[in-house]
Amino acid sequence: IAMAAREAGRWLSEKQPDLTFLSSPHGVALTNDFAVILNEQAGGSVEIGNDLVNQTEKYTVELSDIVLDSDLAEMLIGRLQHPNVTGVHFPNDSQVLGWGEIIPLLLVPRNSRRRHLIWTHPLRRYNDAKSMIPDLLHLGAHIRTFLDDLSMKVAVVISGDLSHTHRADGP
C-alpha cells in the first residue's frame, strides 16, 4: 500500500492539479446530510494506532493548514440543489480535520497554490446504506459534471475504508 501511495503521489505531483476534491466518509459527518466544508482553511493532527492491540505503537501525524475554496463549495451546493446536501462552517478560522481527511491529504503532494474541497458523508450510512444508493449515484454524477465544467485541473481523492472495520475479529 505504501508503494502504491507513493506512486499515486508522484503521479499527482506531475499533473499539478489546481484543486483537490476529497470525498471522505470518515471525518466530519452530519447525521443525515452530505456536506461540503465552507471554512477557508483546514488542518490538524491525529494519533494513529489507538485501535491496535499493542498501544505502544501509537504515533501522531500532522497536516498543516491547507486552503479550502469556500466560494467553489458554495457553487457546488447551489449547483446540486439537493435537500440532503449542505455546507458546514465551523467556528474556528481553520477547520480541525480528523484522520479520515488528514491521512489521504498527506498522500497528495503539497502545493501552496492548490485549493481543496472536502465532501463528507452522513452518519446515516451505517444504517441506511442500501437506501442511499440512488442519492449516491445522482450526486456522484452531478459532482463529476460540476468538476468537469471547471476550467482547472482537478484531482479527485476518495478516502476508502481507512477504519478498523476489517479487523481479524470482525466485522
Side-chain angles (χ1 to χ4, degrees), residues 34-51:
F34 294 90
V36 182
I37 297 176
L38 298 175
N39 291 63
E40 293 185 10
Q41 56 186 354
S45 64
V46 291
E47 192 170 81
I48 305 297
N50 286 331
D51 62 341

Side-chain angles (χ1 to χ4, degrees), residues 25-101:
H26 305 296
V28 175
L30 302 177
T31 302
N32 294 306
D33 290 351
F34 294 90
V36 182
I37 297 176
L38 298 175
N39 291 63
E40 293 185 10
Q41 56 186 354
S45 64
V46 291
E47 192 170 81
I48 305 297
N50 286 331
D51 62 341
L52 297 174
V53 174
N54 180 355
Q55 293 290 311
T56 61
E57 295 182 37
K58 293 188 282 190
Y59 58 96
T60 301
V61 294
E62 188 169 326
L63 176 70
S64 57
D65 280 342
I66 58 169
V67 176
L68 301 180
D69 193 323
S70 56
D71 292 335
L72 204 54
E74 292 279 5
M75 285 175 53
L76 175 60
I77 294 165
R79 183 95 165 261
L80 293 175
Q81 293 189 357
H82 190 280
N84 290 103
V85 173
T86 190
V88 290
H89 188 279
F90 296 89
N92 305 338
D93 288 336
S94 176
Q95 168 57 28
V96 178
L97 299 176
W99 61 268
E101 295 100 6

